[in-house]
Amino acid sequence: MARIELTVDGGKVSDDVEPRMLLVQYLREKLGKTGTVIGCDTSNCGACTVHLDGRSVKSCNVLAVQASGHEVTTIEGLADTHEGGDLHPVQEAFRECHGLQCGFCTPGMIMQAVDLLAENPTPTEAEVREGMEGNLCRCTGYHNIVKSVLHASSTTAGGAR
Amino acid sequence: MTAVEDRPDTDASSAKEIGRDRRRKEDQRLITGRTRWTDNIALPGMLHLAMVRSPFAHAKIVSIDTEAAKAADNVVTVLTGADLGEAQGVCINAWAITTEQVTPTHVPMPTDRVAFAGETVAVVVARTMAAARDAAELVDVEYDELPAALDLKKSAADEVLAHPDLGTNKSAFWKFDSEEAGTGGNVDQAIEKARGDGIVIEREYRQQRLIPAFMEPRSTVVDPTGEQITMWSATQIPHILRFALAATTGVPESKIRVIAPDVGGGFGGKLQQTPEEMITFAVARRLGKPVKYTETRSESLMTAHHGRDQWQKLTLSAEKDGTVTGLKVELTADLGAYVSLVGGGVPVLGAFMFNAIYKFPAYQFNCQTVLTNKTWTDAYRGAGRPEATYAIERLMDELAAEVGVDPLVVREKNWITHEEFPFTTVAGLEYDTGNYEAATEKAKASFGYDELRAEQQRRREAGDRVQLGIGVSTFTEMCGLAPSRVLGSLNYGAGGWEYASVRMLATGKVEITTGTSAHGQGHETAFSQIVADRLGVAFEDVEILHGDTQISHRGLDTYGSRSLVVGGEALVRAADKVIEKAKPIAAHLLEASVDDIEFSAGRFGVRGTDQGLAMAEIAMAAFAAHNLPDGVEPSLDSDATYDPVNFNYPHGTHLCAMEVDTETGGVLMRKYTCVDDIGTVINPMIVEGQVHGGLAQGIAQALWEEAVYDDSGTLVSGSFVDYLLPTSADTISFDVQHNSTASTTNTLGTKGVGEAGTIASTPAVVNAVVDAVRHLGINDIQMPCTPERVWRAIHDVRGSGTTDTEGAAMPHFDESTGMQGTTDRTDGANQ
């Protein structure tokens, strides 16, 4: 067992974990942060995307021990990172543009989109499509996901965080 | 971009709800991570399961040694099929397509023999998921490998038996003949005549095996500690699942509660009673503790049912001018190792759709279902209708090429004109409404059809390396499954009705229960809009409850584009009963005659006066029950069970432009336009989302997806590394529009939409790819149209003048390892 201490969605947590435990397992099983989900076992789908020190990572690709000493933000804490309103502008954009259907890929999509817009506040459609490539969705055909990201870009002029 | 782009979400409170782009009620939870996926559920003392699965496609189980696994830390027990015995129940087939159908018994965990790679032979129960999976590695199973039936055509010839004790792989043969049915002429005569003085198009198409690949892996939690055993499961069909659990385990139906909580997509893939659900149920009962099983993605791709997988032999006869005189269809359909819940019914659902929107005088459909040692197959978005649509829409393009006219010309020559509805087809269905001419005109204009044809011509003449192709698909489908009498006549095991109830709460709020079970479709929003209009209450005051047999005790669940057209009609009828129950109370309170009470916009008024009471006031009066007319019960609550009188028939014109690089075989989508007629639209935003997603899945069949097995029966596309789901970078924004004619088969005038995009798009894309290279002598490329296949088609035809396309992928073992073998993509279309 290894001792880890980290900040998750603004709260300090510490636990003894198996060194092999993945960050996504730690979030779900130890912290009950079930908003972050597991969609595959090969890091393809991106459903588990969270932010580690403000950058998107697939939390199935990070060991819990690697997150020790760092700051993790999940979909459950995203709105708190934004001043004003109950929702982060990217969350609001996904609802406004119908960027989700079953909603399973959505936490990962939103976390990835926030990171994409932080890096490139005014992306073209092609840049959005390239930037979201690591996140799979089976419901939307991506049409409205792309539209959501572009909408968020336009409503915040890129000031997504 | 789509027509929805600039449409505002109007806030005018007087606006009717139906037709509004209401933002979805369900989204607030989903975008903030407040979700209830089955795998999120944790109960006190809950134990975790891991399955031990066969690596062989076909093998005798010689022995199973569980001692080492049982001795591992935190393992509670390890159980085999022999340990569970009859308590594990069986997986049922609800649709024996003939009374003579050969159906192997499907025990969730077999004891003597496995019939496909991935079948469960033992289950480990442990305190944590990690401990269970670790211990599963310690279970030592000795197998005696048997020859496996893998190739569909060879299996159909009984070369190797998938289930030796059955003596054959042929499960059932199903036939429809228009002459025998009295709906048309003799197809063989039509073909014979055309061989003399007309055109005969003969083709064989391959519907490759696909994997539904819903994003949420399947998960099941069973809690046996209450009076009812509660099962949460990632399923589309909580009601059917409860029935199957009760029918096969001996546990009374009244002792079982099934809940489908948040379910992350299905597409038919969660329309099943799975071995894993049965095993989880049995283990929980045996141990008396809550247990959970959640599959990995690899397990999901390997063992959750697959879709499609057919060979289609097709003969189309026509006069020289392109007027079709007959169509004969001979299908061979792969069931996989077992006959699943719907099983052979999937190709039969396509039987009525090969004639599509056309007036064919003669038609015959033959289908042989075949058992193999592969993963079982069942419904996948469209279920039978995409296969039919692909076949006929590909053939119509071939016919146009033969006649030498534009593909739309040959379609127009044969389609039902809008004045001819209602129209009884050669397959015996009555199409209620549609307007193929209008949808096509609208699609052509938006697509820029004539301009793109001109560009295509220019690029051909210039000999461009990248050629342009234009694909057409004028599809229809039958949806809204289904009139119970029709299902009965097809030997299906259940009906096709749907249930809804309306609970009028004292505070004026409304709770709706529906027997449909949404998993991403947005029923909570669309159904609220329907109820708000019908009862004149606020959209926000309606709560839609579903997916729990204790809350919505009756229902036949969600599949086959049925929820709105069947479930929505049940909702309308239940709401109308509420109004009828409220009228005598309103009359009593208003001291008027019931005959003078008029209901409009949520208010019961007295004709000719300004007196009236709101629905909420009647609800409160019924609740208080202090002053009700004699003999009137103190409740407005109502319910309705609706059995549809007919299917309904959405249609549309889909146009696709593809660019094909003749040197690399690479293909690129340039534009996709569709104009669909899905009748009255409740929520345009949700409808367009359904179309987008459907299009992507149909396009993916045309270009990317294929479940590939090696020659020992191992699924080699068993992860998202190998099974190619499209990403945002692979797809484009679609041009989605509507041309609606109201259906006459339900009150709201709606038609199904969930499957339309998938059904229509596959042939549009392949037609476009073939159209781009047809001038090179190519008339078919097998799906998925990978760069390799396109390149081979171009180069083979240049060399040999044949149109064979290569099926097999390259050897996937490195020879230096001493292993050998190639993938088992079935060979080219002319085989």
Side-chain angles (χ1 to χ4, degrees):
Chain A
M1 290 296 213
R3 187 75 181 168
I4 60 170
E5 294 182 9
L6 63 159
T7 303
V8 178
D9 292 335
K12 287 188 177 161
V13 293
S14 64
D15 272 296
D16 292 316
V17 300
E18 281 192 68
R20 65 173 178 170
M21 178 173 259
L22 301 172
L23 177 57
V24 67
Q25 292 169 328
Y26 177 69
L27 293 172
R28 290 179 56 81
E29 296 171 18
K30 292 278 188 184
L31 301 184
K33 294 270 182 187
T34 51
T36 302
V37 296
I38 301 170
C40 74
D41 36 31
T42 49
S43 337
N44 285 83
C45 80
C48 64
T49 302
V50 299
H51 291 175
L52 186 65
D53 295 335
R55 293 306 308 271
S56 71
V57 293
K58 293 183 177 178
S59 60
C60 71
N61 238 357
V62 177
L63 294 167
V65 293
Q66 289 177 291
S68 188
H70 296 275
E71 191 172 332
V72 174
T73 304
T74 77
I75 190 70
E76 296 177 45
L78 178 65
D80 297 334
T81 66
H82 173 75
E83 285 179 19
D86 296 333
L87 294 174
H88 187 282
V90 175
Q91 290 172 315
E92 187 60 57
F94 270 69
R95 177 166 68 183
E96 176 62 22
C97 301
H98 190 29
L100 63 151
Q101 289 179 27
C102 84
F104 194 79
C105 74
T106 308
M109 285 286 175
I110 289 175
M111 298 309 284
Q112 177 58 25
V114 170
D115 191 47
L116 185 155
L117 291 173
E119 195 167 286
N120 180 0
T122 54
T124 62
E125 177 177 338
E127 285 168 346
V128 171
R129 288 188 174 277
E130 290 293 332
M132 301 298 291
E133 188 180 20
N135 291 65
L136 295 175
C137 169
R138 192 60 155 167
C139 293
T140 64
Y142 303 103
H143 183 114
N144 282 346
I145 288 175
V146 172
K147 195 170 137 191
S148 301
V149 179
L150 292 171
H151 181 78
S153 167
S154 68
T155 55
T156 63
R161 52 164 103 182
Chain B
M1 302 297 276
T2 71
V4 78
E5 303 298 289
D6 304 316
R7 193 178 297 142
D9 186 12
T10 148
D11 283 327
S13 56
S14 60
K16 278 179 56 118
E17 286 293 337
I18 289 177
R20 287 182 73 180
D21 272 337
R22 274 285 187 189
R23 297 323 187 242
R24 298 201 317 172
K25 290 184 164 185
E26 36 290 70
D27 288 356
Q28 180 67 28
R29 290 190 307 111
L30 297 172
I31 58 180
T32 53
R34 273 73 171 176
T35 44
R36 286 203 168 186
W37 314 111
T38 302
D39 188 52
N40 291 1
I41 294 168
L43 300 171
M46 187 175 78
L47 302 172
H48 298 261
L49 307 187
M51 304 295 170
V52 179
R53 297 181 181 277
S54 168
F56 298 111
H58 196 194
K60 279 186 187 156
I61 303 167
V62 178
S63 63
I64 304 175
D65 181 352
T66 60
E67 289 312 309
K70 280 179 177 164
D73 280 352
N74 290 317
V75 169
V76 175
T77 188
V78 182
L79 298 166
T80 65
D83 295 328
L84 291 177
E86 291 189 354
Q88 60 174 322
V90 294
C91 295
I92 60 171
N93 166 239
W95 193 349
I97 57 173
T98 66
T99 49
E100 302 85 30
Q101 176 177 285
V102 173
T103 312
T105 302
H106 189 179
V107 177
M109 196 154 50
T111 54
D112 55 341
R113 188 175 59 89
V114 291
F116 71 98
E119 191 157 23
T120 301
V121 295
V123 56
V124 177
V125 189
R127 288 181 54 215
T128 66
M129 172 64 87
R133 286 186 187 166
D134 284 347
E137 300 290 325
L138 302 174
V139 176
D140 188 11
V141 186
E142 191 185 335
Y143 296 96
D144 186 3
E145 200 177 351
L146 297 167
L150 297 171
D151 179 85
L152 176 51
K153 288 188 175 179
K154 288 177 184 169
S155 298
D158 284 340
E159 285 188 17
V160 175
L161 294 181
H163 297 274
D165 54 324
L166 296 179
T168 180
N169 295 326
K170 296 190 194 71
S171 177
F173 179 77
W174 196 93
K175 181 180 181 182
F176 173 88
D177 183 273
S178 64
E179 187 180 40
E180 290 169 15
T183 54
N186 180 304
V187 78
D188 289 319
Q189 286 173 7
I191 292 166
E192 253 346 279
K193 180 171 184 305
R195 284 193 201 283
D197 62 4
I199 298 169
V200 179
I201 309 278
E202 290 171 282
R203 293 287 186 274
E204 185 166 31
Y205 293 138
R206 173 76 173 143
Q207 290 285 333
Q208 78 269 36
R209 184 174 272 254
L210 300 174
I211 306 180
F214 35 76
M215 288 313 297
E216 181 210 14
R218 298 172 306 163
S219 179
T220 302
V221 172
V222 178
D223 181 358
T225 63
E227 269 309 305
Q228 284 187 319
I229 303 170
T230 302
M231 173 184 281
W232 290 262
S233 195
T235 182
Q236 295 175 226
I237 53 164
H239 297 92
I240 294 171
L241 180 56
R242 177 165 83 148
F243 172 85
L245 283 164
T248 69
T249 63
V251 178
E253 192 178 355
S254 55
K255 289 289 185 188
I256 303 171
R257 175 186 186 186
V258 176
I259 301 171
D262 288 342
V263 176
F267 318 109
K270 290 174 180 168
L271 200 189
Q272 199 58 264
Q273 170 214 2
T274 71
E276 291 84 358
E277 287 166 333
M278 300 304 288
I279 293 167
T280 308
F281 189 74
V283 171
R285 286 178 65 206
R286 185 183 179 98
L287 300 181
K289 299 290 286 180
V291 298
K292 180 200 280 187
Y293 170 71
T294 301
E295 68 184 0
T296 65
R297 175 56 61 184
S298 300
E299 286 179 298
S300 186
L301 295 174
M302 186 164 58
T303 66
H305 74 244
H306 294 173
R308 313 282 196 271
D309 205 340
Q310 298 178 2
W311 279 106
Q312 309 177 305
K313 234 178 123 178
L314 308 156
T315 311
L316 183 84
S317 62
E319 290 168 14
K320 284 244 185 287
D321 68 352
T323 304
V324 176
T325 58
L327 174 65
K328 185 172 183 175
V329 178
E330 292 158 280
L331 292 190
T332 311
D334 192 343
L335 295 169
Y338 298 103
V339 191
S340 57
L341 188 67
V342 182
V346 170
V348 169
L349 281 173
F352 307 97
M353 282 290 115
F354 277 85
N355 51 295
I357 64 170
Y358 307 113
K359 296 179 280 188
F360 292 171
Y363 172 58
Q364 190 186 86
F365 173 91
N366 306 277
C367 176
Q368 177 67 56
T369 59
V370 179
L371 294 157
T372 63
N373 294 115
K374 289 181 177 174
T375 302
W376 54 346
T377 62
D378 204 316
Y380 171 53
R381 203 167 190 172
R385 291 152 289 161
E387 298 94 310
T389 303
Y390 180 82
I392 187 59
E393 290 305 297
R394 287 283 295 110
L395 285 181
M396 293 306 275
D397 262 36
E398 296 304 306
L399 177 60
E402 189 71 24
V403 177
V405 295
D406 187 280
L408 284 169
V409 171
V410 81
R411 284 172 171 80
E412 187 171 4
K413 186 179 277 294
N414 288 284
W415 72 35
I416 303 157
T417 61
H418 70 276
E419 302 96 344
E420 293 176 290
F421 291 98
F423 185 89
T424 301
T425 73
V426 74
L429 297 180
E430 187 187 281
Y431 293 179
D432 57 345
T433 59
N435 191 329
Y436 310 138
E437 305 96 310
T440 300
E441 276 314 305
K442 198 168 171 181
K444 278 178 74 177
S446 185
F447 185 69
Y449 190 84
D450 296 335
E451 294 82 355
L452 283 165
R453 281 283 180 214
E455 180 186 335
Q456 176 186 37
Q457 189 60 30
R458 282 198 303 277
R459 288 165 74 164
R460 274 198 188 168
E461 285 164 4
D464 274 5
R465 169 181 148 172
V466 178
Q467 288 289 322
L468 180 66
I470 295 164
V472 176
S473 170
T474 49
F475 88 106
T476 189
E477 58 152 327
M478 55 191 262
C479 64
L481 305 180
S484 297
R485 280 186 202 170
V486 174
L487 292 176
S489 72
L490 293 170
N491 204 34
Y492 182 67
W497 47 264
E498 196 43 88
Y499 172 81
S501 76
V502 180
R503 304 175 186 163
M504 298 301 299
L505 306 184
T507 52
K509 309 294 183 191
V510 184
E511 285 178 342
I512 302 294
T513 73
T514 170
T516 66
S517 190
H519 40 282
Q521 291 88 344
H523 293 174
E524 292 89 336
T525 303
F527 285 12
S528 293
Q529 291 177 263
I530 294 170
V531 173
D533 270 2
R534 207 77 193 170
L535 294 180
V537 296
F539 169 77
E540 294 78 10
D541 288 347
V542 183
E543 199 67 34
I544 307 293
L545 309 174
H546 64 83
D548 181 343
T549 59
Q550 210 177 62
I551 292 169
S552 172
H553 67 292
R554 285 167 63 75
L556 286 169
D557 308 317
T558 288
Y559 44 85
S561 304
R562 69 187 303 276
S563 294
L564 176 58
V565 294
V566 187
E569 183 67 13
L571 194 52
V572 165
R573 293 181 179 218
D576 287 352
K577 285 186 189 175
V578 169
I579 296 165
E580 289 312 307
K581 283 180 81 169
K583 276 184 181 169
I585 298 173
H588 178 74
L589 296 174
L590 292 162
E591 297 177 346
S593 160
V594 174
D595 296 337
D596 289 334
I597 297 294
E598 292 174 321
F599 179 70
S600 172
R603 189 167 182 275
F604 294 88
V606 181
R607 186 175 290 119
T609 75
D610 58 358
Q611 283 190 303
L613 288 168
M615 179 63 95
E617 292 174 287
I618 309 290
M620 178 54 91
F623 171 74
H626 296 162
N627 183 17
L628 299 180
D630 291 341
V632 169
E633 67 170 342
S635 168
L636 298 180
D637 295 359
S638 300
D639 64 0
T641 301
Y642 171 68
D643 198 352
V645 293
N646 193 355
F647 297 93
N648 64 77
Y649 307 94
H651 72 85
T653 298
H654 288 229
L655 299 172
C656 174
M658 295 291 298
E659 291 185 334
V660 178
D661 186 325
T662 56
E663 287 188 14
T664 66
V667 300
L668 192 66
M669 187 171 290
R670 163 108 166 252
K671 183 158 194 187
Y672 197 104
T673 295
C674 61
V675 176
D676 289 332
D677 177 351
I678 55 153
T680 304
V681 174
I682 306 297
N683 183 320
M685 180 190 79
I686 289 177
V687 155
E688 278 164 31
Q690 289 290 309
V691 175
H692 297 150
L695 290 178
Q697 286 183 6
I699 293 165
Q701 177 177 10
L703 298 180
W704 300 301
E705 292 183 25
E706 181 173 27
V708 181
Y709 283 83
D710 70 10
D711 53 13
S712 61
T714 304
L715 180 72
V716 294
S717 54
S719 77
F720 278 162
V721 177
D722 305 291
Y723 189 79
L724 207 171
L725 287 195
T727 71
S728 52
D730 298 316
T731 48
I732 65 170
S733 291
F734 307 114
D735 173 19
V736 174
Q737 303 187 40
H738 299 287
N739 186 74
S740 295
T741 60
S743 171
T744 58
T745 63
N746 62 77
T747 306
L748 298 171
T750 59
K751 304 177 185 180
V753 70
E755 298 163 296
T758 305
I759 291 168
S761 59
T762 310
V765 176
V766 176
N767 278 341
V769 172
V770 171
D771 185 55
V773 292
R774 190 182 288 280
H775 63 293
L776 303 175
I778 294 162
N779 66 22
D780 188 32
I781 296 171
Q782 192 178 311
M783 295 188 292
C785 298
T786 58
E788 180 198 353
R789 286 184 181 172
V790 174
W791 187 90
R792 281 184 185 277
I794 292 167
H795 287 265
D796 287 356
V797 74
R798 281 176 181 170
S800 65
T802 69
T803 57
D804 285 0
T805 52
E806 186 62 45
M810 62 180 85
H812 71 278
F813 289 115
D814 182 342
E815 284 177 20
S816 67
T817 63
M819 303 287 283
Q820 54 179 319
T822 54
T823 49
D824 179 44
R825 282 182 171 153
T826 315
D827 289 345
N830 286 358
Q831 179 191 326

